[in-house]
Amino acid sequence: MNDLGNKSALITGGTKGIGYGIAEALLKEGINVAITGRTKETAVEAAKKLNAHGNDRAQAIGLEADVRNYESQQKAVSEATDKFGKLDIVIANAGLGHFGSVEDITIEQWKETIDTNLSGPFYSLKASVDQLKKNEGYFISISSLAGTNFFKGGSAYNASKFGLTGFTQAAMLDLRDHGVKVSTIMPGSVSTHFAGNEPDDSDAWKIQIEDIGELVVDLLKMNPRTLPSKIEVRPSMPK
């Protein structure tokens, strides 16, 4: 997929943070982008901002979708395909985190974490796999270094991201014979609003959202014979 002309992408959780940074990077490459959010209003507003800083070769649209619901993901894939004519790239980015001891994590928090971070990417891929096979597309999940490194208070988050890493790697083996590339990106600390953080100058040492966007573009431009299937990325000089 190193020729990115006439491509289209769907990014879950693309209204801010990593998903927004990826959308910006893809638009600059001339790739049409559909971003999803939990409300139509936030998704459309984010798409307007992206288009204001984009170019005339590509367009962003905002869609309401809940990754925890398979039918919602089917609808988002259908809407993106209807708008752009096809779907070549799917980025499973939507995620959240609940942290605390296993004694304190509630059943609801556990379920929301697993449903969003693990079942969500499965639904996104399941809903889009026919389009990806048809167009020899690319599926990328945004996992985390927490998907291979466990930590105190991370039972729910670790479980979801360990699962996502394993799911994505197995899907890679399932789909490569169909010409579909599958990768997972595992970032460390990123300057986003995740877990209640408010990005400011003190986050300058962290990975920036545009860095993840650049990484996604690099993957898409990789020679078709080569597949970086699992990429760990971390701050060069962590605090």
Side-chain angles (χ1 to χ4, degrees):
M1 193 181 281
N2 49 351
D3 178 8
L4 301 184
N6 193 34
K7 302 294 184 185
S8 59
L10 173 68
I11 303 173
T12 66
T15 61
K16 59 183 179 180
I18 290 175
Y20 189 90
I22 295 172
E24 282 189 305
L26 298 191
L27 284 169
K28 289 177 182 177
E29 295 294 326
I31 299 172
N32 289 313
V33 177
I35 58 171
T36 71
R38 288 197 180 184
T39 69
K40 182 74 171 180
E41 182 181 34
T42 57
V44 169
E45 185 61 31
K48 286 180 181 178
K49 287 172 58 181
L50 287 165
N51 286 324
H53 300 290
N55 58 59
D56 57 6
R57 295 186 298 145
Q59 176 188 6
I61 62 169
L63 304 175
E64 179 181 359
D66 184 348
V67 297
R68 299 170 298 177
N69 182 282
Y70 177 57
E71 288 74 20
S72 183
Q73 290 306 285
Q74 287 181 305
K75 184 172 183 288
V77 168
S78 178
E79 289 178 337
T81 303
D82 288 346
K83 176 65 177 180
F84 300 131
K86 61 173 184 168
L87 191 59
D88 305 279
I89 303 156
V90 175
I91 313 289
N93 164 75
L96 55 78
H98 291 297
F99 303 97
S101 167
V102 292
E103 298 176 282
D104 301 322
I105 287 287
T106 67
I107 299 300
E108 291 74 19
Q109 289 172 327
W110 173 272
K111 190 175 188 303
E112 184 179 30
T113 303
I114 299 299
D115 286 352
T116 303
N117 296 356
L118 181 54
S119 296
F122 167 68
Y123 295 152
S124 296
L125 179 54
K126 189 77 170 175
S128 61
V129 69
D130 288 342
Q131 274 292 311
L132 295 179
K133 287 169 63 177
K134 179 180 179 181
N135 299 309
E136 294 191 339
Y138 210 137
F139 177 82
I140 298 173
S141 70
I142 305 300
S143 184
S144 168
L145 290 181
T148 192
N149 301 293
F150 51 84
F151 58 89
K152 184 177 181 180
S155 59
Y157 192 69
N158 281 143
S160 70
K161 292 299 187 178
F162 267 69
L164 177 56
T165 300
F167 161 72
T168 310
Q169 293 299 283
M172 178 268 295
L173 297 177
D174 288 341
L175 296 178
R176 61 181 177 178
D177 289 341
H178 298 283
V180 179
K181 283 189 167 188
V182 178
S183 299
T184 188
I185 298 173
M186 306 170 68
S189 298
V190 183
S191 178
T192 69
H193 292 86
F194 184 76
N197 181 62
E198 191 64 37
D200 56 29
D201 291 343
S202 67
D203 287 334
W205 62 274
K206 296 179 180 179
I207 300 164
Q208 302 298 305
I209 60 173
E210 59 265 29
D211 302 335
I212 304 298
E214 181 180 351
L215 178 55
V216 170
V217 170
D218 288 344
L219 286 174
L220 297 177
K221 289 184 174 180
M222 182 69 64
N223 192 295
R225 66 174 173 256
T226 302
L227 176 60
S229 58
K230 184 170 66 173
I231 303 97
E232 294 188 1
V233 54
R234 48 178 52 80
S236 299
M237 297 291 288
K239 286 191 176 182

